[in-house]
Amino acid sequence: AAKGAGKNCAHLFDSVLDEASRQQRALELDLRRAIRDREFRFVFQPIYSLGDNRLTGFEALMRWRRQDGQDVSPALFIPAAEKSGQINALGEWAIAEACRCATQWDHDATVSVNVSPRQLMNPALFGSVVDALVGSHLAPRRLIIEITESVFIENMSVALQTLRKLQTIGVRIALDDFGTGYSSLNFLRSFPFDRVKIDKCFVDNLAPDSSANAVIRAILTLADALGIETVAEGVETATQLDVLRREGCAQVQGYFLSRPVELDRIPLLNATLPTPGAETVVDLNAAR
Ligand code: C2E
Ligand code: MG
Ligand code: MG
Ligand code: MG
């Protein structure tokens, strides 16, 4: 009987796997169509400098609006596009589109674009970035490429070579989601990153007298020693912002400052950081 039950479980397991791969396959087909039909766009989340309280740039975050009006999260479709290889087509579009968008705003704020591991392993990436810069006339200094540690697990030499070439032409490289990888501290030395984005999980518990403050302090000290600029991600409260300011974090990004906004809302944004107690001037019309 036990053996029989095990067999049934195996069947159940198989059918769950089947169902998962069917869904993956359906998503792939849908992605192919969506790339063709241009159902993707960017929203932009402001990044502010704590030194002078000014808006310094935006992170471009992809959104997929399906024909039924539903927005699909990149947390869902980017991994699917990675798996199927469609990330290369999607990513090429993304870099060109982000550069084009950045030339639309009337200040020299930077644009940060996320690049996933498979894109960075593709030797054609460097050429796509150059094409995007040339095509949009965006100054390379205004483009920041965000990568995560997982980029380096495979085909490290291609990735490193591309990153070095990008820096040579003036594009800056940020290490995203810092602290979530398996050897983050050592990893920071493996490439001369221009910027490190401290993951939201280190920001979440910041509070006066919290032990989380010591962790942030250590990361800031390390980045500083290596000459790498710091950005804290996922700042949701005034308290977190106060601690980050006191600990000397250079820049911040998060819902407390602004949700990601549509391109046409960018001219309405405050050019300076909303200061505690001050009235928030514009309704940022949250783009989810
Ligand atoms: P990420 O690069 O770490 O982006 C930050 C994510 O945190 C974004 O989610 C952003 O909307 C969200 N976020 C920002 N501030 C806060 C906050 O205060 N609280 C909370 N709870 N969340 C906050 P999003 O837009 O859903 O993107 C998720 C991930 O998808 C990104 O993580 C990035 O890894 C990936 N992604 C997004 N756009 C692209 C793209 O164009 N290309 C590639 N390859 N990946 C992308
Ligand atoms: Mg990012
Ligand atoms: Mg991040
Ligand atoms: Mg992330």
Side-chain angles (χ1 to χ4, degrees):
K3 204 177 166 194
K7 216 170 168 189
N8 285 339
C9 284
H11 275 298
L12 182 64
F13 193 58
D14 279 350
S15 74
V16 167
L17 278 183
D18 280 354
E19 181 52 25
S21 63
R22 243 195 315 278
Q23 277 178 17
Q24 166 75 17
R25 183 76 193 129
L27 185 55
E28 264 174 50
L29 288 173
D30 215 15
L31 269 173
R32 176 159 314 153
R33 187 196 48 69
I35 293 169
R36 194 194 59 214
D37 296 349
R38 300 172 185 281
E39 289 179 4
F40 299 92
R41 72 183 196 289
F42 277 120
V43 290
F44 297 90
Q45 188 173 36
I47 299 172
Y48 291 91
S49 156
L50 290 179
D52 56 7
N53 293 330
R54 297 201 69 82
L55 177 76
T56 61
F58 297 90
E59 178 171 4
L61 294 161
M62 210 186 282
R63 294 292 178 268
W64 177 12
R65 168 88 31 99
R66 292 165 97 148
Q67 281 144 336
D68 61 7
Q70 290 270 35
D71 266 337
V72 186
S73 165
L76 195 81
F77 69 78
I78 295 289
E82 274 262 302
K83 227 182 216 164
S84 66
Q86 288 162 309
I87 192 67
N88 288 316
L90 192 56
E92 195 175 309
W93 170 83
I95 293 164
E97 176 67 5
C99 290
R100 188 191 69 79
C101 289
T103 60
Q104 312 269 296
W105 52 69
D106 65 356
H107 37 66
D108 60 5
T110 57
V111 65
S112 297
V113 184
N114 293 284
V115 165
S116 46
R118 188 147 173 189
Q119 279 179 275
L120 197 61
M121 279 182 239
N122 181 351
L125 179 70
F126 179 72
S128 327
V129 175
V130 171
D131 288 348
L133 291 169
V134 171
S136 63
H137 303 289
L138 187 75
R141 292 299 296 169
R142 292 184 54 199
L143 178 64
I144 299 172
I145 298 291
E146 295 193 1
I147 62 156
T148 58
E149 255 178 72
S150 49
V151 148
F152 288 87
I153 292 166
E154 282 171 78
N155 217 341
M156 178 136 168
S157 63
V158 172
L160 282 174
Q161 206 175 35
T162 299
L163 293 176
R164 282 198 206 96
K165 286 198 286 185
L166 287 170
Q167 275 183 333
T168 305
I169 63 168
V171 173
R172 284 176 282 174
I173 310 299
L175 177 57
D176 201 358
D177 300 344
F178 178 73
T180 60
Y182 65 94
S183 66
S184 298
L185 294 188
N186 204 33
F187 189 74
L188 209 52
R189 288 191 314 121
S190 67
F191 182 79
F193 292 101
D194 298 284
R195 156 181 297 198
V196 56
K197 299 190 74 172
I198 303 167
D199 195 76
K200 179 179 183 303
C201 68
F202 297 106
V203 172
D204 283 340
N205 297 313
L206 296 178
D209 304 320
S210 164
S211 59
N213 303 2
V215 178
I216 278 282
R217 191 174 310 142
I219 296 174
L220 294 173
T221 304
L222 176 65
D224 197 47
L226 295 169
I228 306 173
E229 175 189 48
T230 47
V231 181
E233 298 194 276
V235 180
E236 291 182 342
T237 69
T239 307
Q240 292 165 353
L241 184 61
D242 285 346
V243 175
L244 288 164
R245 194 186 280 286
R246 206 172 44 235
E247 298 295 346
C249 184
Q251 305 203 38
V252 284
Q253 173 183 358
Y255 293 170
F256 180 70
L257 307 147
S258 169
R259 295 236 169 196
V261 299
E262 301 287 345
L263 181 64
D264 62 2
R265 304 285 303 180
I266 288 181
L268 303 176
L269 285 172
N270 281 328
T272 53
L273 194 72
T275 42
E279 202 69 15
T280 306
V281 183
V282 259
D283 165 21
L284 297 174
N285 195 16
R288 276 162 297 128

